[in-house]
Amino acid sequence: MMNKYTKQQIAFQKKYGDWAIVTGASEGVGREMALSLAERGLNVVLVARRVELLERLSETIKKEFNVQTMVISADLSEISALKSLVQSTSALNIGLLIANAGYGTSGPLINADLQTELNMLDVNCRALLVLSHHYGKRFSTQKKGGIVLMSSIMAFQGVPNMANYAATKAYVQTLAEGLHIELAPYGVDVHASAPGPINTGFSTRSNLKMGAAAHPKTIASDTLNALGKSTTVRPGFLAKLLEYSLKLLPRWGRVRVMQLVTKGMMSH
Ligand SMILES: NC(=O)c1ccc[n+]([C@@H]2O[C@H](COP(=O)([O-])OP(=O)(O)OC[C@H]3O[C@@H](n4cnc5c(N)ncnc54)[C@H](OP(=O)(O)O)[C@@H]3O)[C@@H](O)[C@H]2O)c1
């Protein structure tokens, strides 16, 4: 029987299979990551709070790609949920962690609800640290694997009106850069994906109006294609364009440009 996978897909399976965990798989980039991984022949653990969306995605994946799935309903801001995610996946041969779940808020920090900002810190940073620590250890023992940490173009300077969100992404970016070097000797690939605006549920939750925005499918495939090749990938055309246009500015200048950008996105 002919193998239905390409050479690249088989190499991907060998390096990052048999199972991948995708956090934030119910919508947006995470959903597209899960689909793209299933297409490459990996079984996928789908993690988010909205279990009905995960169940529907699981059915689609099993029907279209003939791989296995596991659905885990978890609020990643809770340590107990992280512990049970780790336990539920202990018997699976996990080779890839896509730490994608996250959200943003907008507006001046002093007007924000502090509990929401603390929760964002827990989802965007603490959960990602706990999972990177656990699966980083597992992957280094098995001498193969990959970790994708979802950063943002916001990670590279302060961002007025999204100050805490940008700070969480600076944490993610910095963590990825360090782990990239630490885990390389064990054959484990770590990279940060730093997209620009994407057309997802993110804008509703952060109450921002997106102008030009990339499709989450592009972000997922560019990110997965770059795994093992660089420390940071700027997926999609917009992220690259924004990188080049901001590159020559000093850091304080980038902060000012970001102030204008977020002001525009908040006026709706
Ligand atoms: N959209 C953009 O413009 C943009 C740009 C750069 C970077 N990013 C980053 O890309 C990642 C994906 O965002 P997206 O654009 O795909 O947004 P999205 O469509 O809103 O998806 C966010 C995902 O995160 C999950 N999530 C949120 N809070 C959670 C929690 N407490 N516990 C478990 N899961 C949780 C959501 O699932 P449930 O609600 O079902 O729990 C959802 O699946 C995020 O880290 C974001 O910061 C986005």
Side-chain angles (χ1 to χ4, degrees):
M1 200 178 85
M2 284 262 293
N3 195 321
K4 63 178 178 164
Y5 297 112
T6 64
K7 264 189 190 163
Q8 285 94 332
Q9 286 172 331
I10 292 166
F12 195 92
Q13 289 166 14
K14 277 197 181 134
K15 182 108 213 237
Y16 307 117
D18 301 336
W19 284 81
I21 297 179
V22 182
T23 70
S26 60
E27 202 181 351
V29 175
R31 185 177 188 281
E32 295 297 338
M33 288 274 194
L35 286 164
S36 184
L37 289 165
E39 190 177 14
R40 290 161 201 245
L42 265 62
N43 305 311
V44 273
V45 180
L46 308 169
V47 187
R49 292 167 304 173
R50 285 170 294 170
V51 73
E52 66 291 352
L53 292 181
L54 297 180
E55 294 287 5
R56 234 180 285 159
L57 176 62
S58 161
E59 284 314 309
T60 307
I61 286 177
K62 282 192 281 196
K63 206 159 71 189
E64 282 188 28
F65 303 110
N66 197 27
V67 296
Q68 298 176 64
T69 61
M70 179 188 266
V71 166
I72 296 183
S73 164
D75 182 340
L76 296 175
S77 66
E78 293 171 4
I79 280 286
S80 57
L82 292 163
K83 281 187 183 152
S84 93
L85 168 59
V86 160
Q87 267 163 15
S88 312
T89 57
S90 61
L92 302 178
N93 183 19
I94 309 279
L96 185 60
L97 167 68
I98 311 283
N100 161 78
Y103 70 98
T105 55
S106 61
L109 184 69
I110 53 168
N111 297 343
D113 170 49
L114 182 59
Q115 278 315 315
T116 307
E117 299 300 316
L118 288 168
N119 182 273
M120 194 208 302
L121 204 57
D122 288 343
V123 177
N124 292 13
C125 302
R126 188 175 67 163
L128 199 127
L129 170 65
V130 171
L131 298 179
S132 301
H133 179 258
H134 176 77
Y135 293 102
K137 255 190 193 176
R138 264 185 77 171
F139 299 165
S140 51
T141 306
Q142 67 199 26
K143 299 262 182 298
K144 75 178 184 86
I147 299 178
V148 174
L149 302 184
M150 195 49 69
S151 173
S152 164
I153 49 157
M154 302 281 184
F156 303 101
Q157 65 285 299
V159 179
N161 299 315
M162 293 188 84
N164 186 32
Y165 174 71
T168 69
K169 291 299 170 181
Y171 173 87
V172 173
Q173 180 66 34
T174 304
L175 184 69
E177 289 171 12
L179 290 180
H180 176 82
I181 301 292
E182 282 185 16
L183 296 187
Y186 300 97
V188 180
D189 298 327
V190 181
H191 82 171
S193 174
I198 320 164
N199 206 349
T200 62
F202 180 89
S203 54
T204 311
R205 197 163 179 197
S206 57
N207 196 23
L208 289 170
K209 181 185 66 167
M210 295 284 179
H215 194 284
K217 198 171 180 166
T218 311
I219 303 305
S221 64
D222 282 10
T223 298
L224 294 175
N225 288 341
L227 189 54
K229 295 183 184 141
S230 60
T231 313
T232 302
V233 54
R234 315 271 184 156
F237 172 73
L238 260 180
K240 290 178 191 68
L241 180 73
L242 289 164
E243 182 197 5
Y244 289 121
S245 25
L246 292 171
K247 209 173 186 167
L248 295 177
L249 292 176
R251 196 165 165 120
W252 65 262
R254 297 207 304 267
V255 175
R256 287 297 185 182
V257 170
M258 282 298 175
Q259 180 182 24
L260 296 176
V261 170
T262 53
K263 213 171 155 189
M265 291 164 91
M266 282 164 57
S267 59
H268 56 94

